[in-house]
């Protein structure tokens, strides 16, 4: 909690909770992390670290899949 991520992001997508963001990130080939803030998910591209930012929840998302 209270963490954002570095990297770039596009426009936010409305979401009910932070866990909704992960599926959206997995559907975006360039996404490697997410930040949830004020009812919106922000897909992060080229994220490498967490950065303090009040009110945000963030996580790295692993795009690799086992077959």
């Amino acid at each position: 909690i209270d963490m954002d991520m570095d990297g770039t992001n596009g426009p936010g997508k409305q979401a009910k909770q932070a866990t909704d963001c992960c599926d959206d990130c997995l559907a975006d080939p360039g996404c490697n992390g997410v930040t949830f803030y004020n009812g919106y998910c922000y897909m992060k591209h080229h994220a490498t670290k967490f950065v303090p930012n009040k009110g945000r929840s963030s996580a790295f998302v692993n795009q690799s899949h086992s077959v």
Side-chain angles (χ1 to χ4, degrees):
I1 295 192
D2 292 338
M3 286 290 178
D4 201 342
M5 299 180 91
D6 67 345
T8 58
N9 57 271
K13 181 177 179 182
Q14 202 165 17
K16 292 183 181 180
Q17 56 192 8
T19 54
D20 296 338
C21 301
C22 292
D23 286 338
D24 291 336
C25 184
L26 288 170
D28 179 346
C31 182
N32 73 327
V34 293
T35 295
F36 180 73
Y37 176 65
N38 203 23
Y40 286 85
C41 293
Y42 296 92
M43 306 304 117
K44 297 291 183 170
H45 292 232
H46 311 292
T48 61
K49 64 183 178 181
F50 294 107
V51 291
N53 203 341
K54 190 172 181 162
R56 286 145 177 89
S57 298
S58 298
F60 282 101
V61 176
N62 186 345
Q63 289 281 355
S64 63
H65 299 280
S66 299
V67 178

